[in-house]
């Protein structure tokens, strides 16, 4: 099995292919999963999420998990197959520089009906996993009925 040192660059490159992923940790002893926009910067993952839920405060200084995949965008016809990457590491509230903010692109207008207020976290990946599903060229991706 590849080490984190060899997986991390591959996983970072895959992350660059999709804009959103899922952040997982716990808040008040309960697990939560939140959608977040990500960018890769200096070997770390920067996340933008809605501050109104308080999730960013629960993550600050804690070990979190972040994962992303191409399940909605992949097609066996493209030869890419399906992949997912997961990172675990400490998170910290940050204030991105203007260049990093620009990489995030336009923010959502609303989150659960209230105005979107961005909060930013930096995750320093310590443990990395990558999973792939390959398809034969003759297979078609079809939705289950």
């Amino acid at each position: 099995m590849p080490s984190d040192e060899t997986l991390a660059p591959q996983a970072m490159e895959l992350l660059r292919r999709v804009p959103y992923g899922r952040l997982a940790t716990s808040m008040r002893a309960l697990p939560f999963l939140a959608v977040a926009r990500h960018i890769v910067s200096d070997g770390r993952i920067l996340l933008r999420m809605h501050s109104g839920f308080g999730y960013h405060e629960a993550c600050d200084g804690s070990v979190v998990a972040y994962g992303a995949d191409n399940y909605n965008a992949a097609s066996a016809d493209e030869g890419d197959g399906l992949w997912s990457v997961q990172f675990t590491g400490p998170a910290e509230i940050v204030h991105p520089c203007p260049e990093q903010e620009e990489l995030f692109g336009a923010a959502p207008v609303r989150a659960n009906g209230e105005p979107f207020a961005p909060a930013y976290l930096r995750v320093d990946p310590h443990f990395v996993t990558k999973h792939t599903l390959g398809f034969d060229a003759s297979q078609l991706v079809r939705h289950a009925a």
Side-chain angles (χ1 to χ4, degrees):
M1 179 144 182
S3 69
D4 284 347
E5 290 81 29
T6 59
L7 274 179
Q10 297 169 14
M12 294 290 191
E13 189 54 42
L14 289 172
L15 264 187
R16 286 184 169 97
R17 297 182 187 184
V18 296
Y20 286 89
R22 293 161 209 84
L23 174 70
T25 194
S26 62
M27 187 165 129
R28 297 182 201 100
L30 297 172
F32 74 83
L33 190 65
V35 68
R37 171 75 168 96
H38 65 260
I39 63 169
V40 176
S41 179
D42 297 325
R44 295 181 175 154
I45 302 139
L46 295 180
L47 304 177
R48 179 180 68 196
M49 58 195 311
H50 179 54
S51 64
F53 304 138
Y55 296 157
H56 64 295
E57 293 168 342
C59 294
D60 190 32
S62 298
V63 172
V64 302
Y66 186 73
D69 57 61
N70 71 338
Y71 297 165
N72 288 331
S75 168
D77 296 338
E78 297 168 5
D80 222 8
L82 297 176
W83 57 262
S84 67
V85 295
Q86 301 82 38
F87 298 89
T88 304
E92 169 184 13
I93 293 175
V94 295
H95 302 284
C97 68
E99 294 83 13
Q100 291 168 327
E101 281 190 42
E102 188 176 319
L103 290 174
F104 278 108
V109 176
R110 300 198 170 284
N112 285 3
E114 64 181 60
F116 183 84
Y120 298 91
L121 291 170
R122 180 178 60 224
V123 179
D124 186 12
H126 287 200
F127 300 101
V128 180
T129 58
K130 177 181 94 169
H131 301 287
T132 60
L133 292 174
F135 295 91
D136 185 274
S138 65
Q139 291 176 297
L140 297 175
V141 175
R142 298 177 193 214
H143 296 283

